[in-house]
Amino acid sequence: MTSPPAGRDGRRRQLAPYAFIAPFYVLYGLFMIVPIAAGVYLSMTEWVGLGTPEFVGLDNFANLARDTSFHKALGNSLIFVLISLFLVVPAALLIAQALNTRGLRARDLFRVTFFIPMVLSPIVIALVYSLLLDRDYGLVNSVLRALFGTGTTDWLGDPTLAKVSVGFVLLWRWVGYLTIFFLAALQAVPRERYEAAEIDGAGPWRTFTAVTLPGIRPVTAFVVVTSFIGASQLFDEPFLITGGGPGEETLTVAMFVYRAAFDRQQFGYAAAAGVVLFVVVFAISQLLNRLLSIGRTS
């Protein structure tokens, strides 16, 4: 048998790498590009889940622009994003800094303790906090009643306190997860940098801003972007604990999509809200990537 021509053999070698990476792109197209395209098409239709979707163009988006419930959901989602970025992320960094202290005993025990909320089922978390924050029989009000004589606070029924309660659950559940990332980053900062800062007479705050923060910048950027995306798509905590109430005070965009699709069978309208959420999250994520220089080596 004669060997294949050199030209054909060369082409095969050139195409070999593409054959190895082709499965990724096939799966990416099937499970990402196709669903996104289908969602965009569905957002321009009126469909109740059965029959043929009726094309309505941009009417769904025009209705969203006038929908006060959607505006409320956007505002609530923004509040939870701010809680995540300016409360959860800094708290995780401070805890990681404390756990990274030299000579700290039972460090592994603290790590496990902070990480446990992340592995618990959202159903269990919702049940526990519903019992703790119940107005009449909750443990929190019982303790307040015993210590201060006041224990009638409606933690889940007051519009402001309901947001605070959901925000606290976010803090309790996610801070340990983010702490793991920060702790790994802190342990990767060379010890020599801290020793040099100490020799130069830098205090704790100066060392933190001049050595620690620059050393963990890539991980910080990753945590900020992923926290923003997760908080923007928040669903479990408000859905299970408050049901979006009282009224619509804890309604998020993800819950708005769920209600439109499965409560009112407005699948096209729900898809339009999902497309708006996708565009907003994608645009702001790209902006954060540029501001935080993610993926850049210089």
Side-chain angles (χ1 to χ4, degrees):
M1 179 180 292
T2 59
S3 59
R8 183 183 302 175
D9 186 58
R11 275 196 303 274
R12 288 179 177 176
R13 291 182 179 179
Q14 291 177 354
L15 294 176
Y18 297 99
F20 282 107
I21 66 175
F24 165 78
Y25 287 101
V26 171
L27 294 176
Y28 182 81
L30 288 176
F31 295 102
M32 285 293 295
I33 303 301
V34 172
I36 290 175
V40 172
Y41 170 75
L42 186 61
S43 69
M44 294 184 287
T45 66
E46 185 176 333
W47 189 44
V48 296
L50 297 173
T52 303
E54 179 184 352
F55 187 80
V56 295
L58 300 179
D59 288 354
N60 287 329
F61 296 96
N63 292 332
L64 281 176
R66 299 187 295 266
D67 193 332
T68 56
S69 294
F70 184 67
H71 300 164
K72 188 68 174 180
L74 284 174
N76 292 336
S77 294
L78 176 60
I79 291 174
F80 293 131
V81 166
L82 295 178
I83 290 175
S84 180
L85 294 182
F86 294 102
L87 186 60
V88 179
V89 172
L93 177 56
L94 291 177
I95 293 173
Q97 183 75 6
L99 292 177
N100 196 47
T101 303
R102 301 181 67 178
L104 179 67
R105 296 181 179 180
R107 180 179 301 172
D108 293 338
L109 176 62
F110 287 120
R111 290 180 185 177
V112 173
T113 302
F114 283 113
F115 191 75
I116 282 177
M118 188 60 208
V119 300
L120 293 177
S121 169
I123 301 294
V124 175
I125 295 173
L127 178 61
V128 170
Y129 273 96
S130 296
L131 295 174
L132 289 175
L133 301 174
D134 185 80
R135 182 183 62 181
D136 299 320
Y137 307 105
L139 179 61
V140 174
N141 278 343
S142 297
V143 172
L144 293 176
R145 190 178 301 113
L147 295 178
F148 306 105
T150 59
T152 58
T153 304
D154 194 357
W155 297 99
L156 303 179
D158 182 84
T160 301
L161 293 179
K163 290 188 178 71
V164 173
S165 299
V166 173
F168 178 79
V169 176
L170 287 178
L171 174 66
W172 177 83
R173 186 182 181 196
W174 291 98
V175 70
Y177 177 72
L178 300 182
T179 297
I180 299 300
F181 290 100
F182 281 125
L183 185 58
L186 290 171
Q187 292 176 343
V189 178
R191 207 71 225 166
E192 295 79 7
R193 297 184 183 180
Y194 291 103
E195 295 173 355
E198 185 177 355
I199 294 174
D200 291 340
W205 176 251
R206 180 61 179 171
T207 301
F208 180 75
T209 56
V211 178
T212 302
L213 287 182
I216 64 172
R217 180 179 178 182
V219 173
T220 303
F222 168 79
V223 168
V224 168
V225 173
T226 54
S227 297
F228 163 75
I229 295 174
S232 301
Q233 301 172 344
L234 184 66
F235 179 83
D236 292 349
E237 288 81 359
F239 179 77
L240 296 172
I241 296 175
T242 64
E248 296 179 340
E249 295 301 323
T250 56
L251 179 70
T252 62
V253 177
M255 288 184 63
F256 179 90
V257 173
Y258 175 86
R259 287 184 177 181
F262 298 105
D263 290 348
R264 303 193 299 269
Q265 284 74 50
Q266 297 175 328
F267 288 94
Y269 197 56
V275 169
V276 172
L277 177 62
F278 170 78
V279 171
V280 171
V281 171
F282 180 80
I284 297 180
S285 298
Q286 293 302 309
L287 178 61
L288 289 175
N289 287 343
R290 291 183 176 273
L291 292 177
L292 299 175
S293 301
I294 295 178
R296 300 179 185 178
T297 57
S298 59

